Amino acid sequence: MKLLTGNDLKTGFVTWWTGADWSLHIEDAADVGEQGEAILAAEEGARRVNAPYIIKGEATPEGPRPAHIKDRIRALGPTVRPDLTLKPADPAAGDWVI
């Protein structure tokens, strides 16, 4: 199974080719088979998605599943832990200039 994925132009969210358009849900992804390269070229040329590419996948009872762990993690969506993000600057500290 071959899946076509990319990123939404406005939000950057991961998107999946459904056979007719793009979805934010891996469950909607369709096998692009041998037509993958042609679909990729047409969609990239039409600027409907950013940086599309083809990945290997496998059919499961729950729907398509990316074969590689990196793509499975990507399919889950944002994985940034809020407790690890940078804290905003303290406005009371003022500017520090050397």
Side-chain angles (χ1 to χ4, degrees), residues 10-81:
K10 291 183 182 178
T11 65
F13 292 156
V14 175
T15 58
W16 303 91
W17 180 250
T18 68
D21 59 6
W22 295 92
S23 172
L24 297 176
H25 307 284
I26 182 66
E27 298 83 14
D28 299 332
D31 183 4
V32 295
E34 298 304 316
Q35 297 81 30
E37 292 295 333
I39 297 168
L40 185 152
E43 290 298 304
E44 188 170 36
R47 301 280 186 216
R48 286 188 272 267
V49 67
N50 185 40
Y53 60 99
I54 297 170
I55 63 170
K56 290 180 182 178
E58 51 195 35
T60 71
E62 295 81 32
R65 177 180 174 202
H68 192 279
I69 186 68
K70 173 188 73 104
D71 295 312
R72 285 193 295 250
I73 292 169
R74 192 172 169 272
L76 294 174
T79 57
V80 177
R81 288 179 40 190

Side-chain angles (χ1 to χ4, degrees), residues 90-96:
D90 181 359
D95 292 334
W96 190 71

